[in-house]
Amino acid sequence: MSRPEGMRSSRHSLQVKFVPDEDVLKHITDDTGTKVRKEKAQLSVSVKRFVKKLENISDNEAQEILEEKNYVAALGICTQDAVGNGSNISGGEVYSFQTPKRSNKMAELASELAQTPEQNVSPDHSKCPEKMAKTPQNSKLSSSNRVQQTSKKKEFVSTTPYRLRKRLAAPDPYLESESEYSASCSEEEEDEEEQKEVSTIISDQKTPAKTKAASTPPHRNSLAKKRKAQKMGNLVEEYFEAHSSSKVLTSDRTLQKFRKRRLNQQTLYDLLKNAPLAYAAEIRDLNQQHESLFSKWMLQLHLGFNIVLYGLGSKRDLLEKFRTSLLQDSVHLVVNGYFPSITVRSILNSITEEVLDHIGTFRSPLDQLEFITKRFKEDSSLELYVLIHNLDSQMLRGERSQQILAQLSSLPSIYLIASIDHINAPLMWDQAKLSLYNWLWYETTTFSPYVEETSYENSLLVQQSGSLALSSLMHVLHSLTLNARGIFRLLAQHQLEKKDNPSYPGLSFQDFYQQCREAFLVNSDLTLRAQLTEFRDHKLIRTKRGADGVEYLLIPVDDSTLTDFLEKEDEDV
Amino acid sequence: MSTCSVSKGCFVFKPSTKKRRLSDKTGHDFRCPSNDSEDTQLRFVTCQSLWNQIKSETEQIQEDLNKQLLDNLVSFLSRSHSDFQEKTTEWTCRMKFREIPTAALVLGVNVTDHDLTFRGLSDVLQDNITPYVALLEAKDCPGIKNLMQKLMGQLMNCDIDVDSMDDEDCVQVSQNRIRCSMPSLISWYDSVTKKTDSETPSKKRNSSSRHWRSPPVVVIFKDMESFTTKVLQDFIVISSQHIHELPLVLIFGIATSPMIIHRLLPHSVSSLLCIELFQSLSCKEHLSTIIDKLLLTSRFPFKLGEKVLQVLINIFLYHDFSVQNFIKGFQLCIVEHFYSQPLSVLCCHLVDIKKRVYSLSHDQCENIRRLPSFRRYVEKQESGKQIELLTNDSFLKEETQKLLEDLHVYHENYVSILRCLHVFTSSLPKYPLGKQIRELHCACLENRVWETEEYESSLQLARMLNKTDLVTMLQQCVEILIASSGKEFDRAIEKLKEFLTQFQNLEAEASQERDVSVSPQKELQKKTDLYHLQKTLLELKESRRSKKLTKFEMLRFEVVDYIDSLVRRYLVPADNRTLHEIVYFNAAAVLRGHLNAAPRTALHTALNNPHWYLKNQALKCDGGGISNKAPDICIVYKLHLECGRLINLADWLEAFSTVVMAAEEPNADAASSDQVDDVIHARFIRAVSELELLGFIKPSKQKTDHVARLTWGGC
């Protein structure tokens, strides 16, 4: 900035002349050297301020932790007995920020776990920041398997805002990203002059090594403070690192590598049934502990509380046992919340239709709820136990559903006992709903596998067998006329022929009509249309209009199912 | 019948009607597999009756607390449209301004408790003022149309209730509902009021006779803050146009502060309202009253321990401010106590104790002997009595009865002295022992209060009180002690009265003394010289320091010492009393687990430290790690913690199989095998889909065979 005036004026006169390399180097080193040094001095001031702030933060945090402890102690955690969950874990451990991860970390942990079966060495986390910081240094030389990491590093440096980068880079002497840093520094400074002096640009790339050497000394004096701030600095850094790149940093391997067929639901089920359940005895003990509470649950249900079960492991069997042992003599409703097409309406319907023997429909679930409320208030002898497995399932977790269920559960003669599994399940309920539900929480960690609960789930790893689709297809088709079946067959065959064409739009209506006519299946396009309407109503076909306005027909079933279907049809005929 | 199906999610089970009759209510008492004590039935009945008493008591308290508010509201409502009745000119002139009378009801943040208040309010209104009360909630009224629909539905339904319309009219009502507008509402109102006018001599008249000829229509907005501003504004503007035809009164339920009205409504709209503010009792005061009436009384035999009370109060203060939840927690305490403590059968009123003690079985006697407090008591007795207590059941029963009666007396005294002490501590600067009596109560229950620093400092401060304060406090204490049922306080009352008369005597003496003491003061006034003033002041100060204590100060010390002696005598923590387990509920952890659970922590513990639940040696490992023999889901979870936002399933599977293979056959060279066993694959699939169910991961389309991670804790 404070450059001699003469030098500046000489630059303004644009003249190209030969400058020897040494001269350029010399010029640059003492020119940018002083400049950067000055900049550094400023920087270190800002660093100090930053460090101070960090100290304040950590002080505050200590205070907060203390307060939290007080609060926790006041809540009576100290008197925790052995049966409860480990509430001695502080919230910070359970809820924390995203931290950067390396791609091979999982493999490392796995081999660690594998190698030390008896004694466990917890992975040394303190090492990783240094390791990470070193990677950029040898980035140019690193072999192909490290490319992943380095690209991550680079990504970080280039996407963080400049100001922030300055702050982050400065207090950490280990982080050797200095080259990028100073380069960008000079870039900003020399914005205006750059076009004029060509030679500086050429040499710019060489200088950083030296400027760094020149600029390091002022850093040393505040080393102690930096050390202190290091930890916090790393945390901040890690946070931004983890959030900076949108790039996926995992390996590109896929499950194809294992050359394995995807398991379908049935084989999966069989395999797991044969596999022994680990720690069966201990799990049984756990369950027995929970079962001893059954009578207490019953009592508390009758006193106006509702019961919610949480904890790892399927609680289905536990609730089933509760049902079979205590509820045999009373009216009860079991709701499988994990069932993919469960709705509040179906729950309400089964109450009105089956429990209350009411025939008729309702305009809205709220009306239905009103009706139920009225009936239960009128008839005090009516009692209903409602068991809901997975109250937090995809279908029931909506605000409206929960509101209705909460209102239902607040009726004095409806006793609700439910289970939740999702980690964020309690977020479904606000104060109003909680007071309606009137929950008593019971921790029932069972460690039993979620067999039923996950059986409906369209897991990524399970091959979609399509057996359900096939059977429904067959079912519908069997109720149709012979001609209709023929029409459908024609469409299916056509679709299978074109199955290799990924951009197959479907069969156009006109072509289809032509084919059907030729096969003596229809005699006018009106009959075909009537037929197609029927198919569409059963969701057997889908129509869409192409860009040219032509109607295309498609069967929304995957090819293998379609093949199976045609085979079955051939058998039948 | 199985409850697994691929086509159905709901299953109803109905037992045959004959069976249903068999299942009676008595099936739900304290029958517990662990203790087969015969007193369960009695315990259950005691528990129920106690709870019912407490419940009615709390309802009574609530009613009393709200009474003032409701009375004010009712008088406001009756005032608001009196003009409309009389059709005076004043009314018409007011009509020019089109102001709707409005009551802003500030209820506090504990929204869940408001329902109760509103229910009470609408009952009172329907009894006293008008049959036409509509309660509106924001969630039912997303638009002005829904609001009108809801409003008319409620008004016309309540009309049915009053005049007991038959079905034909119901049809009419539903038809009306289709066209909901202010004119139709007005025509309805006209017809209704006319009808009641014409029906006056008829038999149905008596039901509505307590209302006036044209009762106002009251619309209550339960949660004013949640209404959309547009709906509110529109409604107010529209109805203000018709106020001369329809005597409308609005009531706003406000949870925050009255300012919200002006924030929600622009001036042009709020000027259409004639707002009067009503403040309900704050929830903290409500809680204090509840604690005062339920806990600090000897009416109920059941008591809360220090920790338990602390948990309940903390849930109240830190989580919800809901008195209803506090009462619910109290109920749970009662149930838990009577359920888990077999000796709670003795937790009854004084009159029943004798009978119950004598009908105790041998097992129950053993239970008494097992109580820690009782064992401490036995140890203090002489050897002969010890043997008697431990072997002779009837002797034990006698002793138990005596001890329980002692305990009862202790409570009575405790409460009175606690109140006296509170009179003193609540007026000290900075409140070293807390402002509220509940804080003092907790402090006294926790440990010997006189050993705490806070007590020391509050005594110090009490020794500096001025005379008027001291006298009023002493008078209050005397009142408290006289009101209390304890018999031991005669002496204390006498003593305190003595103090009071001494203070009065002091006053008389002081007035005599004043003449003497005035002289230096007068001198002081005469002198205007700064130097001399300073000098005399210094002299005065000097003399004061050297002077020995005045009579008043001596007396003050005496009073404080006497209070201190009372505290030391009567405010012994309950834990030190023999047989306190019978009446005190102390299982704070259980209570906290049921009311203030931490599901995520439980999951975290189960996944990170399965040994906590599964007591198997193979799972035990120290240093926060996890054994490779842990359940599949724990291993999968632990591995996923090492990943970033996306997780490669192939890598994950491989890592998992490495761990599992190593756990199964530690010596095999697992790392090299590329092929994964089918069973392990299946186990992996199960574990991953379980994690998905628990919400730790979700499928991602960003990259093939990848899942996205959803949580960042636990590493």
Side-chain angles (χ1 to χ4, degrees), chain A residues 302-319:
Chain A
H302 276 264
L303 290 175
F305 295 102
N306 291 309
I307 286 174
V308 62
L309 310 178
Y310 66 91
L312 182 68
S314 169
K315 289 158 281 283
R316 211 190 108 84
D317 292 341
L318 192 68
L319 280 178

Side-chain angles (χ1 to χ4, degrees), chain B residues 252-491:
Chain B
F252 291 149
I254 294 173
T256 51
S257 85
M259 278 304 292
I260 196 76
I261 299 176
H262 299 288
R263 203 169 303 160
L264 282 177
L265 305 174
H267 180 73
S268 59
V269 176
S270 61
S271 63
L272 297 174
L273 302 174
C274 171
I275 302 172
E276 196 160 320
L277 197 66
F278 296 88
Q279 187 95 34
S280 82
L281 208 62
S282 87
C283 51
K284 276 188 192 165
E285 287 168 54
H286 193 166
L287 181 77
S288 314
T289 324
I290 293 277
I291 287 181
D292 204 49
K293 293 270 167 65
L294 290 188
L295 300 178
L296 300 177
T297 168
S298 45
R299 284 184 57 204
F300 303 109
F302 174 77
K303 310 280 176 209
L304 291 181
E306 189 263 335
K307 287 261 162 52
V308 172
L309 185 58
Q310 203 60 257
V311 166
L312 285 181
I313 289 176
N314 278 332
I315 291 176
F316 176 84
L317 290 178
Y318 288 100
H319 291 271
D320 51 14
F321 283 123
S322 166
V323 178
Q324 296 307 312
N325 274 351
F326 183 86
I327 293 166
K328 170 192 158 186
F330 192 57
Q331 182 192 6
L332 183 67
C333 291
I334 296 172
V335 174
E336 276 290 330
H337 180 68
F338 280 88
Y339 184 83
S340 54
Q341 175 63 267
L343 285 172
S344 59
V345 69
L346 298 178
C347 181
C348 58
H349 290 288
L350 200 56
V351 283
D352 299 330
I353 282 185
K354 192 171 180 184
K355 209 176 79 197
R356 292 204 182 176
V357 166
Y358 283 100
S359 60
L360 283 183
S361 67
H362 177 69
D363 285 346
Q364 287 283 49
C365 290
E366 284 302 310
N367 279 335
I368 292 178
R369 287 179 186 126
R370 254 179 250 131
L371 290 178
S373 70
F374 186 75
R375 272 152 73 175
R376 277 201 300 273
Y377 172 74
V378 170
E379 277 160 23
K380 277 185 210 141
Q381 307 303 317
E382 60 206 58
S383 58
K385 202 177 173 190
Q386 276 185 358
I387 295 166
E388 277 290 283
L389 279 174
L390 293 179
T391 52
N392 188 345
D393 273 2
S394 58
F395 184 76
L396 175 79
K397 283 174 185 171
E398 245 170 71
E399 195 69 19
T400 307
Q401 190 201 341
K402 215 165 76 216
L403 285 170
L404 282 173
E405 280 164 4
D406 281 354
L407 201 59
H408 191 82
V409 172
Y410 155 78
H411 280 304
E412 284 179 344
N413 299 337
Y414 175 91
V415 172
S416 312
I417 297 297
L418 188 74
R419 284 181 204 277
C420 287
L421 182 61
H422 182 241
V423 166
F424 276 88
T425 56
S426 62
S427 58
L428 297 175
K430 283 192 180 172
Y431 312 104
L433 275 171
K435 206 176 184 174
Q436 307 277 354
I437 196 164
R438 58 163 192 260
E439 293 163 272
L440 191 64
H441 181 49
C442 281
C444 291
L445 280 178
E446 195 179 1
N447 43 34
R448 296 179 186 183
V449 71
W450 57 88
E451 286 171 1
T452 59
E453 272 176 45
E454 290 87 357
Y455 183 76
E456 263 319 302
S457 60
S458 49
L459 276 197
Q460 289 284 336
L461 289 169
R463 288 196 184 106
M464 283 183 266
L465 285 169
N466 65 23
K467 200 173 77 182
T468 38
D469 281 356
L470 206 56
V471 169
T472 46
M473 280 177 200
L474 281 179
Q475 274 162 349
Q476 279 176 21
C477 288
V478 169
E479 276 163 31
I480 289 169
L481 291 182
I482 288 172
S484 84
S485 44
K487 290 150 198 115
E488 293 178 30
F489 290 134
D490 295 344
R491 260 192 54 74

